[in-house]
Amino acid sequence: MEIIITDNYDLMSEEAFKLVKNLVRSNPNSVLGLATGSTPLGLYKLMSDDYNYNGTSYKNIKTVNLDEYVGLGKDNVQSYAYFMNKYLFKNIDINLNNTYIENGLAIDKEKECKRYNNLLNELKQDIQILGIGSNGHIAFNEPFTSFDSVVHVVKLAESTIKDNSRLFNSIDEVPRYAFTMGLKNIMNAKKIIIMASGVNKAKAVYELVHGKITEEVPCTILRNHKDCILICDKEAGSLL
Ligand code: F6R
């Protein structure tokens, strides 16, 4: 795994942006695997600005997102579909029909998992962007998720509910279940960029780089990927 440690969050975002921009420019039909959360916000801002000022086009780009809360539709401000629209899609010239995410409102969850899984088998990510949970989760694959997992519904870990409650009015409002790509879907990506910022990610980043490869710490599977880059700021990399 290649490792890039930057002085701060902005420089971490810049490093990831350079790779994404290169791909979008060299292959305007690429598939981008995207994440939500605080970590990629700087990257999405750089992509939005670059579209505005330099005209980098996303017209024929397709995107697949990692995960979505069960029970939240795209008009709910807490949904990941809403997040993607707000922070990226509405700021660039992407065709919304080419942006894919699990349907949080699907009644038949098993069917929805199959649908999304089939889609991912068709649309292999050229780059997959990831953040990391303080417990080492990637997407919503919590500790002890099988390395062979594909799209599934997960019960969120207490630590994840607590971490994510900062974005809700109260912890009780945080959904307890989510749809998520499985670890196998993530490993299918041609290239993976995992970003981490802040001291609360330091332990997970240490495990990612030096820990035993084990389902107990889901991110450790990334060490088996042939083209994975960790880009973190110096706080997140402070235990390396
Ligand atoms: C988001 C996702 C999660 C986050 C992780 C870190 O789509 O799948 O794995 O990447 O929880 O979240 P932040 O970036 O908010 O610290």
Side-chain angles (χ1 to χ4, degrees):
M1 179 163 41
E2 190 186 334
I3 301 174
I4 300 175
I5 302 179
T6 63
D7 270 346
N8 55 47
Y9 176 86
D10 289 346
L11 293 172
M12 173 198 76
S13 306
E14 287 269 359
E15 289 294 333
F17 169 64
K18 277 191 242 165
L19 297 170
V20 172
K21 178 171 176 164
N22 251 340
L23 173 72
V24 171
R25 290 248 165 175
S26 62
N27 178 5
N29 300 308
S30 316
V31 178
L32 295 180
L34 299 177
T36 56
S38 313
T39 310
L41 282 176
L43 166 65
Y44 296 159
K45 172 86 172 67
L46 289 169
M47 290 164 73
S48 304
D49 288 349
D50 178 53
Y51 164 71
N52 272 318
Y53 300 120
N54 306 317
T56 300
S57 177
Y58 292 78
K59 239 184 201 132
N60 296 313
I61 295 288
K62 294 191 172 67
T63 66
V64 288
N65 258 83
L66 291 172
D67 38 22
E68 179 60 284
Y69 289 119
V70 166
L72 303 192
K74 64 179 176 11
D75 297 328
N76 187 310
V77 296
Q78 305 287 10
S79 74
Y80 284 169
Y82 190 96
F83 174 106
M84 288 312 303
N85 208 32
K86 176 172 175 186
Y87 292 109
L88 185 63
F89 299 154
K90 78 168 175 44
N91 309 328
I92 58 177
D93 64 345
I94 200 158
N95 177 349
L96 285 181
N97 293 328
N98 288 338
T99 66
Y100 300 96
I101 188 164
E102 298 94 331
N103 174 11
L105 293 180
I107 305 284
D108 187 338
K109 299 187 184 53
E110 208 174 305
K111 197 166 152 206
E112 176 59 9
C113 290
K114 270 197 194 131
R115 179 195 72 85
Y116 202 61
N117 205 55
N118 290 340
L119 186 93
L120 293 175
N121 288 335
E122 271 168 43
L123 299 177
K124 187 170 161 152
Q125 310 94 305
D126 290 287
I127 285 184
Q128 175 65 58
I129 302 292
L130 295 176
I132 186 169
S134 58
N135 64 359
H137 76 209
I138 48 176
F140 275 138
N141 294 288
E142 300 287 20
F144 300 104
T145 304
S146 163
F147 281 172
D148 287 327
S149 55
V150 293
V151 180
H152 61 287
V153 171
V154 63
K155 185 171 185 343
L156 300 180
E158 281 308 316
S159 61
T160 301
I161 293 170
K162 200 163 153 241
D163 286 350
N164 290 5
S165 65
R166 70 188 191 282
L167 304 167
F168 290 78
N169 291 326
S170 82
I171 195 161
D172 298 334
E173 281 182 23
V174 186
R176 268 35 185 180
Y177 292 88
F179 288 102
T180 184
M181 272 191 207
L183 293 168
K184 216 170 167 182
N185 305 116
I186 292 172
M187 291 295 280
N188 264 338
K190 290 184 200 152
K191 187 185 199 74
I192 297 178
I193 300 173
I194 180 159
M195 292 192 285
S197 164
V199 72
N200 67 324
K201 301 294 174 72
K203 193 166 172 298
V205 167
Y206 176 86
E207 292 293 330
L208 166 66
V209 176
H210 295 298
K212 185 172 160 230
I213 299 179
T214 164
E215 290 179 351
E216 199 175 337
V217 188
C219 62
T220 58
I221 193 178
L222 298 176
R223 294 228 302 282
N224 292 336
H225 195 279
K226 59 180 186 339
D227 189 4
C228 177
I229 306 184
L230 162 67
I231 307 176
C232 65
D233 64 15
K234 59 175 190 266
E235 282 80 23
S238 57
L239 296 177
L240 295 181

